[in-house]
Amino acid sequence: MNVTEKIIREHLVEGQMTTGADIALRIDQTLTQDATGTMAYLQFEAMGLDRVRNELAVSYVDHNTIQVGFENADDHRYLQTVAARYGVIFSRPGNGICHQLHLERFGIPGKTLLGSDSHTPTGGGIGMMAIGAGGIDVAVAMGGGAFHLTMPKVVRVMLTGRLKAWVSAKDVILKVLEIFTTQGNVGCVLEYAGPGVKTLSVPERATITNMGAELGVTTSLFPSDEVTRRFMRAQGREQDWRELTADADAEYAREVTINLSKVEPLAAAPHSPDNIRTLASLEGLAVDQVLIGSCTNSSYRDLKAVARILKGRVVHPRVSLGIAPGSRQVMMMLAKEGCLTDLLKSGARLLENACGFCIGNSQSPGTDGVSLRTSNRNFEGRSGTRSGQIYLVSPETAAIAAIEGVFRDPRRTPAYKAPRVREPDVFPIDDALLIRPPAAGTPVDIFRGPNIGAPPVNVPLPDALRAVVAIKVGDKITTDHIMPAGARLKYRSNIPAYSAFVFEGVDAEFSKRAGTARDRGVHNLIVAGSSYGQGSSREHAALCPMYLGVKVVLAKSIERIHRANLINFGIVPLTFADPADYERIGAGEDWRADDFRRVIESGGTELCLVGPAGATPIRALLELTARQRAIVLSGGLLNFTRNG
Ligand code: MIC
Ligand code: SF4
């Protein structure tokens, strides 16, 4: 067996381990972050349980920490009190980014982790099976329920050789993105193996598994070996370590080899993480902003390397350099070793230990600004500036660009010495900002501010679909297009208010139009190209459209987490039987299916959509498991769980 199969076997509660089969896994650990967490806990409350039932549940506050207005602070208080009430550990704002913290303090090889954030697979760096999902799936797992998924196809990524100077883990995952792209990887797990594995530290491995999210895979993971053991010992958690490697005769669906010695410094150019260029090809391009941090590259290793490069140098006059350490632990190490002084002296702007710029809530670049970032997503507009040109690069590349004011291939910069950072033997451990819940039964008042509303209730699926095409979009529409974050984040707990911004940057009239159709009793239909719903796990990209009366998404293809979220909120995901039919359906047209409910109930796999007079009907594929059919028929997972 490979590592993926070993972990699945230990956690399988339903189904057969044959590729493509519907399986259900027992979830040991869960994590939520505040932006998805408020809905997750509101939904958990709506399920009527008395306490969380999984081994470990942690609620992190790291996304909405900007606190303009009362909303974020109220949400934090809700999260802190609801965590205390139901037995969840609460990580206070300022402690750091959920994925970095979970790796440091809680990750355990061989365990399953379900997180309401798409970058949960960061935990794969420590040998966990860590999967991103919508908040309601995490709520179910906190209640002791299983997580349903398709038995993945396991792809082995063989690593050979060793990284050369100036090349780091970010360049490896950018190479992987170049090979696999952001499309067509649904249902796969990437399992890293080979002699190159032992040359990578846990934080480097975590950078690689983190950005597996951009490939659209179910998760990515590394084996657990002596390197893992050393990391856990340094975190004071060696007792949780276990060895976990693939059997010598393990089988894989596909194999790709990457020779680490041949990887060169790379960048993901605007506006997609798979738009890969070599640094050499960008040499000399002027840079306006450099931002170092995010859950991908904010570890001690990364920031120490940056501090070494910046030491004794000053940021280029045109460049604004911001640095956000991933956790308090990282910040404390930088402070202890004098690196903070080096960063400050260089002119870097120290940012909070939080998601910050990565989610677009601050540090938007200027008009047409070229911004180099060590984060994982460069979707158009995500930075908060529509014309911003965001490039994703390694911390080393970013630091050199901050000084030089232009892109430089670090290998051609003789004035700089390549930093080598050794992982420490002991990390400073300080869990003061992790608040443990009181004993079960202790009375706790849950605080709810005026911005927090109960999740909207959906009606069961109608018998007939009478829909209007509310919007027609193209390929690679991300959840950032559907449900903008950034300045709109503060409405995450207020669905009616947040719904006013659905597709804001694509078609500002969408929300009003869809709401009017809903009020007239007409269903809304979204038509899309391929890879619809790429990116984040935010269930608001399904929940708010549900609130606006969307009943169906008809696309060439839909990404995994978003597809699951649509189902969880009673929206039926359909794909074109013939992708060419995408051209035959237009915005504003009326399409219907009289036998909508009956086809789903009877297990049908195809739905015939009848359009305006004269149009040939469109055949749409309905690929749903029996459980998913029951969920959409009930009007979503909340109704489904409440009905038992
Ligand atoms: C993201 O990176 O897009 C986020 C913000 O972390 C999301 C979660 C969210 O929208 O709250 C994710 O990746 O799942
Ligand atoms: Fe936060 Fe960015 Fe990571 Fe999402 S990708 S969890 S916004 S740091």
Side-chain angles (χ1 to χ4, degrees):
M1 283 196 184
N2 53 50
V3 176
T4 311
E5 288 165 339
K6 288 185 183 183
I7 303 181
I8 291 179
R9 186 190 49 187
E10 286 177 16
H11 293 86
L12 192 70
V13 291
E14 254 176 64
Q16 297 292 324
M17 288 176 61
T18 37
T19 307
D22 181 36
I23 58 167
L25 298 182
R26 178 169 45 79
I27 297 299
D28 303 317
Q29 302 188 347
T30 53
L31 75 76
T32 57
Q33 41 89 341
D34 50 302
T36 55
T38 49
M39 268 304 137
Y41 294 102
L42 286 164
Q43 292 170 137
F44 180 81
E45 287 189 273
M47 287 173 195
L49 300 174
D50 199 47
R51 202 153 174 95
V52 293
R53 296 183 181 161
N54 60 324
E55 278 175 23
L56 173 85
V58 192
S59 168
Y60 296 93
V61 177
D62 54 359
H63 280 63
N64 293 334
T65 55
I66 198 87
Q67 289 175 225
V68 176
F70 63 92
E71 293 90 345
N72 295 167
D74 278 2
D75 281 0
H76 301 170
R77 254 179 93 188
Y78 166 70
L79 289 167
Q80 182 161 355
T81 50
V82 83
R85 165 67 186 82
Y86 290 104
V88 177
I89 296 178
F90 180 71
S91 171
R92 302 188 62 185
N95 205 25
I97 305 176
C98 57
H99 307 303
Q100 171 70 22
L101 285 168
H102 206 86
L103 198 70
E104 290 173 1
R105 305 306 305 138
F106 299 111
I108 299 180
K111 295 271 185 192
T112 50
L113 165 68
L114 194 71
S116 61
D117 192 281
S118 65
H119 290 103
T120 303
T122 313
I126 209 168
M128 303 190 89
M129 176 118 192
I131 304 179
I136 191 163
D137 281 325
V138 177
V140 167
M142 287 191 289
F147 176 63
H148 290 253
L149 73 163
T150 336
M151 178 66 199
K153 223 192 282 169
V154 185
V155 178
R156 171 151 69 173
V157 184
M158 278 295 274
L159 300 178
T160 60
R162 172 183 282 277
L163 292 174
K164 292 251 167 70
W166 292 117
V167 183
S168 64
K170 180 60 143 271
D171 302 306
V172 178
I173 186 60
L174 292 177
K175 183 76 203 166
V176 174
L177 272 151
E178 185 181 56
I179 298 170
F180 288 88
T181 80
T182 59
Q183 302 189 65
N185 304 309
V186 173
C188 294
V189 165
L190 293 197
E191 192 173 306
Y192 291 85
V197 164
K198 64 174 185 306
T199 69
L200 299 171
S201 66
V202 167
E204 289 172 306
R205 296 174 185 185
T207 293
I208 294 171
T209 59
N210 170 288
M211 263 187 99
E214 277 48 74
L215 301 161
V217 294
T218 305
T219 191
S220 309
L221 48 80
F222 274 81
S224 166
D225 57 9
E226 281 305 317
V227 175
T228 322
R229 181 184 208 155
R230 228 193 123 236
F231 175 81
M232 294 187 72
R233 186 186 308 137
Q235 291 288 354
R237 302 197 296 114
E238 191 178 2
Q239 73 282 3
D240 288 335
W241 178 79
R242 72 183 256 211
E243 186 176 24
L244 193 57
T245 51
D247 296 331
D249 57 352
E251 288 180 6
Y252 296 86
R254 184 181 163 199
E255 184 161 319
V256 169
T257 300
I258 296 180
N259 182 346
L260 296 175
S261 342
K262 295 221 169 107
V263 178
E264 51 180 321
L266 297 171
H271 297 286
S272 180
D274 63 355
N275 190 11
I276 306 300
R277 304 263 190 281
T278 59
L279 247 282
S281 73
L282 297 165
E283 184 83 30
L285 181 68
V287 172
D288 303 296
Q289 183 187 49
V290 172
L291 291 169
I292 300 177
S294 96
C295 58
T296 322
N297 281 112
S298 60
S299 65
Y300 165 75
R301 182 246 159 249
D302 290 329
L303 297 195
K304 175 96 187 186
V306 167
R308 290 248 174 93
I309 296 169
L310 296 182
K311 190 179 168 97
R313 299 185 162 99
V314 174
V315 175
H316 188 278
R318 189 182 45 242
V319 177
S320 168
L321 168 65
I323 300 182
S327 69
R328 235 160 38 97
Q329 184 182 78
V330 172
M331 184 75 118
M332 286 189 295
M333 291 197 63
L334 296 176
K336 196 173 100 210
E337 296 179 5
C339 300
L340 273 189
T341 312
D342 298 332
L343 298 180
L344 287 170
K345 279 187 122 176
S346 76
R349 301 165 65 181
L350 277 189
L351 309 174
E352 192 178 2
N353 308 331
C355 298
F357 70 83
C358 176
I359 198 175
N361 75 6
S362 52
Q363 299 286 331
S364 300
T367 308
D368 300 328
V370 172
S371 178
L372 265 73
R373 302 178 171 209
T374 65
S375 46
N376 45 37
R377 291 187 169 148
N378 58 347
F379 304 142
E380 192 174 10
R382 179 175 162 103
S383 66
T385 303
R386 194 73 192 272
S387 66
Q389 303 293 308
I390 315 298
Y391 291 79
L392 308 176
V393 296
S394 72
E396 292 86 341
T397 299
I400 291 187
I403 302 296
E404 299 289 316
V406 291
F407 275 87
R408 299 292 307 271
D409 180 338
R411 295 168 307 176
R412 299 189 199 159
T413 50
Y416 297 81
K417 194 165 161 280
R420 283 240 166 260
V421 181
R422 205 183 153 269
E423 279 292 287
D425 294 327
V426 185
F427 287 100
I429 293 156
D430 176 351
D431 291 339
L433 293 194
L434 289 175
I435 301 191
R436 309 223 166 230
T442 312
V444 177
D445 285 335
I446 300 175
F447 171 85
R448 289 169 219 275
N451 189 46
I452 296 181
V457 181
N458 198 14
V459 291
L461 199 77
D463 290 336
L465 178 75
R466 299 256 179 272
V468 59
V469 178
I471 192 168
K472 182 176 176 182
V473 291
D475 292 342
K476 285 180 144 190
I477 289 294
T478 70
T479 49
D480 281 293
H481 291 107
I482 307 170
M483 213 52 265
R488 308 302 185 199
L489 262 181
K490 63 184 191 181
Y491 299 120
R492 280 288 173 98
S493 340
N494 184 339
I495 301 305
Y498 200 26
S499 295
F501 305 111
V502 178
F503 283 120
E504 188 186 17
V506 179
D507 174 351
E509 295 303 309
F510 173 83
S511 174
K512 220 184 281 156
R513 201 168 55 238
T516 310
R518 173 200 59 195
D519 295 343
R520 284 194 296 121
V522 176
H523 305 134
N524 286 304
L525 191 161
I526 294 172
V527 173
S530 53
S531 272
Y532 182 71
Q534 265 190 21
S536 120
S537 69
R538 65 188 69 145
E539 61 190 1
H540 299 77
L543 180 50
C544 295
M546 171 200 102
Y547 178 77
L548 294 176
V550 173
K551 292 287 173 213
V552 168
V553 169
L554 173 60
K556 289 186 189 167
S557 67
I558 306 176
E559 290 298 307
R560 174 187 71 88
I561 306 182
H562 186 60
R563 187 174 183 281
N565 286 338
L566 290 173
I567 294 167
N568 283 348
F569 292 98
I571 299 177
V572 179
L574 296 175
T575 49
F576 289 98
D578 177 2
D581 282 348
Y582 171 83
E583 304 302 337
R584 297 203 300 107
I585 181 165
E589 291 175 2
D590 294 322
W591 287 78
R592 59 172 213 277
D594 292 338
D595 51 359
F596 189 40
R597 193 175 167 95
R598 196 192 51 76
V599 172
I600 297 175
E601 255 164 359
S602 62
T605 53
E606 220 179 270
L607 192 74
C608 179
L609 294 167
V610 179
T616 316
I618 287 180
R619 286 188 306 119
L621 302 180
L622 193 66
E623 288 159 305
L624 298 174
T625 64
R627 178 174 177 270
Q628 290 170 333
R629 284 169 200 271
I631 293 173
V632 291
L633 289 167
S634 322
L637 187 54
L638 201 53
N639 294 353
F640 175 77
T641 18
R642 275 173 172 164
N643 299 342

